[in-house]
């Protein structure tokens, strides 16, 4: 099979559009379209459904992806031997929550990229997740275990959340300790209810039944900054708030428990770059266990 055409197919499968695939390959979208069409003609199969939002793999396309990935890995190994470089190369796309990706993975990622300089890494850290079942990402760290799809899943880590107040508002800290928040007259910060992207984030009722946020954001990083800046009190993951001198945990005996789940498409699980990243992430989480579930 012609690897030249296959790599164009693989880039469209990974990126979803001709334009993004072309950028990754450093060619124009017309060239990508022509090579993919030529591959479909050679195989006498339709590999993508052309939709307004991009290219969606057909059943034939999904079946071809693991073979294309294997050829990509072989090509990378050949290139590595020729160049005397790292055995790990190619693209790795990881979907994570904004808080975990931005505050935990991002500051530590330098060690991994230094060890594997030929890898291209997309850390998609946002309010929402890409779907590894549809090959939108190689892997995802989710807030709940997926129940369907061709996925390999396992728990990455439990984590705790607590109620935090601004460090310079001693009056608020005392009031929260002595009275229900609903009667303390203190603004409560939380998510925007109608655009909550995961039910696991609906946790204010676990602090006090019926508790509602009056100051809201879809971003947990924005909520952290609002609490630190004195806009109110709110719930934060302990790993996100740890070490911030502008924040103080109040009601330390009151804790909310959640979990991170690792999910990846079973076709990509054997790939060396996938295994290397998972091993690195496991090690980083284990080293920081006290951040996720404080004593």
């Amino acid at each position: 099979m012609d690897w030249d055409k296959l790599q164009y197919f693989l880039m469209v499968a990974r990126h979803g559009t001709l334009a993004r695939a072309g950028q990754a390959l450093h060619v124009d979208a017309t060239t990508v379209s022509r090579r993919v069409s030529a591959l479909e003609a050679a195989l006498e199969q339709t590999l993508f459904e052309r939709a307004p939002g991009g290219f969606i793999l057909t059943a034939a396309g999904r079946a071809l992806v693991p073979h294309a990935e294997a050829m990509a890995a072989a090509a990378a190994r050949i290139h590595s031997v020729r160049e005397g470089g790292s055995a790990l190369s190619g693209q790795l796309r990881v979907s994570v929550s904004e808080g975990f990706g931005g505050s935990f993975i991002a500051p530590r990622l330098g060690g991994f990229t230094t060890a594997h300089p030929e890898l291209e890494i997309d850390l998609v850290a946002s309010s929402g997740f890409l779907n590894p079942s549809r090959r939108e990402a190689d892997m995802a760290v989710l807030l709940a275990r997926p129940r369907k799809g061709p996925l390999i899943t396992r728990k990455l880590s439990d984590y705790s959340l607590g109620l935090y107040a601004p460090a310079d508002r001693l009056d608020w800290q005392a009031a929260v300790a002595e009275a229900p928040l609903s009667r303390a007259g203190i603004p409560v910060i939380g998510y925007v209810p109608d655009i909550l992207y995961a039910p696991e984030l609906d946790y204010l009722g676990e602090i006090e039944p019926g508790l509602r946020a009056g100051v809201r954001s879809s971003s947990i990083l924005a909520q952290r900054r609002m609490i630190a800046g004195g806009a109110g009190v709110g719930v934060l993951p302990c790993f996100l708030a740890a070490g911030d001198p502008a924040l103080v945990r109040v009601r330390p005996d009151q804790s909310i428990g959640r979990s991170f789940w690792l999910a990846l498409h079973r076709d990509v699980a054997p790939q060396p770059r996938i295994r290397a990243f998972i091993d690195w992430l496991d090690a980083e989480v284990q080293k920081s266990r006290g951040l996720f579930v404080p004593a």
Side-chain angles (χ1 to χ4, degrees):
M1 187 173 288
D2 186 348
W3 166 237
D4 183 58
K5 295 186 183 71
L6 264 181
Q7 64 178 326
Y8 285 85
F9 158 77
L10 191 56
M11 285 298 106
V12 176
R14 287 175 174 173
H15 294 278
T17 71
L18 296 175
R20 289 199 293 266
Q23 289 173 359
L25 291 162
H26 307 292
V27 299
D28 58 61
T30 303
T31 300
V32 179
S33 177
R34 186 169 58 249
R35 297 295 177 87
V36 170
S37 296
L39 179 62
E40 290 179 319
L43 296 175
E44 298 182 347
Q45 291 181 315
T46 300
L47 302 174
F48 295 102
E49 295 177 8
R50 276 69 168 173
F55 279 46
I56 301 171
L57 286 164
T58 63
R62 290 194 296 271
L64 182 59
V65 165
H67 301 291
E69 292 277 13
M71 290 186 73
R77 287 193 295 271
I78 293 169
H79 175 76
S80 175
V81 170
R82 187 177 71 241
E83 299 295 331
S86 168
L88 296 182
S89 62
Q91 184 190 53
L92 178 65
R93 177 168 291 185
V94 184
S95 177
V96 293
S97 66
E98 181 191 34
F100 183 59
S103 70
F104 184 79
I105 294 181
R108 294 166 172 80
L109 194 58
F112 184 77
T113 58
T114 300
H116 306 291
E118 294 184 23
L119 274 178
E120 295 180 10
I121 300 173
D122 295 338
L123 183 65
V124 185
S126 59
S127 299
F129 298 100
L130 300 180
N131 191 331
S133 291
R134 297 199 296 265
R135 303 300 295 271
E136 294 173 348
D138 293 306
M139 71 182 77
V141 180
L142 306 170
L143 301 181
R145 186 174 195 169
R147 297 300 179 186
K148 58 183 179 180
L151 299 174
I152 295 172
T153 64
R154 68 168 170 83
K155 185 184 288 187
L156 178 64
S157 177
D158 294 322
Y159 68 98
S160 298
L161 303 98
L163 186 64
Y164 287 84
D168 58 359
R169 291 303 303 262
L170 300 180
D171 54 334
W172 284 3
Q173 297 168 34
V176 168
E178 296 172 359
L181 267 172
S182 55
R183 298 205 305 266
I186 300 171
V188 176
I189 292 170
Y191 282 100
V192 183
D194 58 340
I195 54 174
L196 204 65
Y197 67 90
E200 291 76 22
L201 301 177
D202 186 14
Y203 38 59
L204 284 182
E206 297 179 47
I207 294 294
E208 290 177 15
L211 186 64
R212 288 173 49 84
V215 183
R216 300 180 286 266
S217 174
S218 60
S219 164
I220 191 65
L221 298 182
Q223 292 178 40
R224 172 187 172 178
R225 287 182 175 273
M226 289 192 291
I227 296 169
V233 301
V235 174
L236 294 172
C238 295
F239 68 82
L240 180 63
D244 190 337
L247 295 170
V248 168
R249 187 172 179 182
V250 292
R251 300 183 187 175
D253 57 335
Q254 191 173 30
S255 184
I256 297 171
R258 292 291 188 269
S259 300
F260 285 126
W261 290 86
L262 184 67
L264 62 156
H265 197 286
R266 61 190 176 205
D267 289 342
V268 307
Q271 294 175 13
R273 67 178 183 273
I274 303 294
R275 300 310 317 165
F277 186 84
I278 292 174
D279 290 345
W280 170 81
L281 183 58
D282 276 335
E284 292 297 325
V285 168
Q286 287 297 326
K287 285 192 294 187
S288 303
R289 181 65 58 190
L291 287 178
F292 291 94
V293 185

